[in-house]
Amino acid sequence: MATETKLELRELGNTGLKLSCVGFGASPLGNVFGLVSEEDAVASVREAFRLGINYFDTSPYYGGTLSEKVLGKALQALGVPRNQYIVSTKCGRYSEGFDFSAERVIRTLDESLARLQLDYVDILQCHDIEFGSLDQIVNETIPALKKLKESGKVRFIGITGLPLGIFTYVLDRVPPGSVDVILSYCHYGINDSTLEDLLPYLKSKGVGVISASPLAMGLLTESGPPEWHPALPELKSACQAAAAHCKEKGKNISKLALQYSLSNKEISSVLIGMNSIKQVEENVAAAMELVTAGKDDETFLEIEAILKPVKNQTWPSGIQQS
Ligand code: NAD
């Protein structure tokens, strides 16, 4: 692959940030999908940056703070000026549970910054807000994050979670400009594309959109999802059948799935979890190929047909369903 070839950058809402269309999801660095050595983790981040990935996402929840620590080490090892990369982390979800109180999110940011070896994060996101009180997010958490923004330790504020209704609930209730970004996951991929309906609303609010888990957290891979994956058995087996179909044709389902998610430019960055140089190179190559050759529509239509019975099937998440 030519080293001068760089990934497309896309504007993130009104933030002025330009994110690489492929973002580096660092949950695998917390051993969420199986053991990853620190050496592989650091090498993956280095290769990602070299190939034009400038956006890295983590959380204190991933691997009980391990992902933040390893990502911090890897970013430090790049030895490049801080403004060359964009980092988001999260608050409110920890290995010991949820706490969206103002006091905790203010304290947690300093802990995250220490682990990441950074003076500021570009985006701080309330992590999986459907597990908390959405009114607390509106009335307490976001006002606390605004103070952190004023202090300069955080540049932009985000919210994340699975049910799409949480985003409209919060955005309809906070003053305009309070939430800069939403991070949605498992809702803009081949098997579930329901985020699409929300995009015009998010645009009208001036909110940037990050879409995570284009491989549906491992469902759209040849090796299949991890044990803890929450999908129903019928969704798992349909994805397995689609992956097998691709393999029979000499195609890779993960490549097609990533390309599908990247096709919508209203989405600023597609966050994909990576744990090896090989995965980084494959995913960047998939994005480059999409630009030069387009996607394989024939195989894509065949996969869509296999997944049709489970299209847009999701799973419950959180203490309220919006
Ligand atoms: P994903 O759909 O990106 O799948 C990740 C899995 O796919 C990992 O096992 C990874 O090793 C594997 N993989 C990556 N590239 C591959 C390739 N080319 N071929 C085969 N397998 C490949 O799911 P994810 O990691 O959960 O999501 C991406 C990132 O988005 C996370 O790391 C995290 O940063 C973020 N995220 C955030 C939230 C949230 O805030 N609530 C939720 C989900 C994800």
Side-chain angles (χ1 to χ4, degrees):
M1 182 183 306
T3 46
E4 68 276 15
T5 316
K6 289 279 177 180
L7 280 174
E8 178 190 348
L9 299 177
R10 296 181 185 168
E11 300 263 358
L12 180 66
N14 292 334
T15 64
L17 295 176
K18 286 185 175 175
L19 269 54
S20 51
C21 59
V22 177
F24 190 107
S27 71
L29 306 193
N31 294 334
V32 169
F33 290 90
L35 280 182
V36 181
S37 72
E38 194 172 293
E39 199 187 347
D40 281 347
V42 170
S44 305
V45 169
R46 176 172 290 279
E47 184 66 352
F49 184 76
R50 188 181 78 81
L51 293 177
I53 292 180
N54 71 355
Y55 172 45
F56 300 85
D57 175 70
T58 183
S59 162
Y61 176 61
Y62 301 149
T65 72
L66 181 66
S67 168
E68 283 191 331
K69 281 185 209 139
V70 175
L71 180 64
K73 202 172 235 188
L75 292 172
Q76 192 68 23
L78 292 177
V80 300
R82 173 66 183 89
N83 63 5
Q84 305 267 302
Y85 51 82
I86 294 160
V87 178
S88 56
T89 191
K90 313 197 181 79
C91 60
R93 180 166 204 178
Y94 313 97
S95 42
E96 68 274 17
F98 291 87
D99 185 351
F100 292 101
S101 68
E103 183 274 321
R104 181 70 194 264
V105 298
I106 288 169
R107 178 158 50 89
T108 198
L109 175 64
D110 286 328
E111 294 164 0
S112 289
L113 291 175
R115 286 189 288 266
L116 285 163
Q117 306 183 43
L118 298 175
D119 298 328
Y120 68 92
V121 285
D122 298 277
I123 311 167
L124 184 64
Q125 305 165 118
C126 304
H127 194 173
D128 291 341
I129 59 173
E130 69 270 28
F131 287 91
S133 150
L134 296 183
D135 291 323
Q136 183 186 28
I137 300 292
V138 170
N139 298 319
E140 181 178 341
T141 323
I142 288 169
L145 297 198
K146 278 181 165 171
K147 287 195 187 134
L148 293 174
K149 200 172 174 181
E150 282 158 20
S151 77
K153 291 180 190 175
V154 169
R155 294 180 70 198
F156 300 104
I157 294 171
I159 48 178
T160 86
L162 185 72
L164 293 168
I166 58 174
F167 299 121
T168 45
Y169 187 96
V170 171
L171 291 169
D172 282 343
R173 287 165 178 79
V174 293
S178 306
V179 172
D180 303 291
V181 183
I182 66 114
L183 187 163
S184 160
Y185 72 100
C186 289
H187 285 314
Y188 202 92
I190 303 182
N191 60 302
D192 181 339
S193 55
T194 44
L195 176 62
E196 191 157 26
D197 294 342
L198 200 64
L199 294 175
Y201 166 88
L202 294 168
K203 194 169 192 176
S204 76
K205 294 272 181 189
V207 172
V209 183
I210 295 165
S211 177
S213 312
L215 310 186
M217 304 192 301
L219 284 179
L220 301 173
T221 60
E222 279 177 13
S223 52
E227 269 302 297
W228 51 258
H229 200 291
L232 290 172
E234 60 182 7
L235 176 54
K236 285 183 181 166
S237 51
C239 291
Q240 203 178 8
H245 177 76
C246 287
K247 199 172 177 188
E248 264 168 41
K249 290 188 71 177
K251 312 276 179 178
N252 185 315
I253 189 146
S254 300
K255 176 174 150 183
L256 276 172
L258 177 59
Q259 289 181 333
Y260 175 84
S261 300
L262 285 168
S263 305
N264 193 324
K265 297 198 177 201
E266 304 270 305
I267 292 167
S268 300
S269 191
V270 175
L271 268 174
I272 179 164
M274 296 184 257
N275 61 19
S276 66
I277 288 183
K278 181 171 176 279
Q279 284 184 356
V280 170
E281 289 181 343
E282 278 177 11
N283 295 335
V284 172
M288 305 305 301
E289 199 184 298
L290 181 64
V291 176
T292 53
K295 69 179 184 325
D296 173 355
D297 283 329
E298 183 191 300
T299 312
F300 176 74
L301 288 173
E302 289 163 7
I303 298 176
E304 251 198 340
I306 294 171
L307 295 175
K308 202 170 173 209
V310 291
K311 179 74 180 176
N312 296 337
Q313 189 184 96
T314 185
W315 47 85
S317 176
I319 55 175
Q320 61 234 318
Q321 287 297 298
S322 332

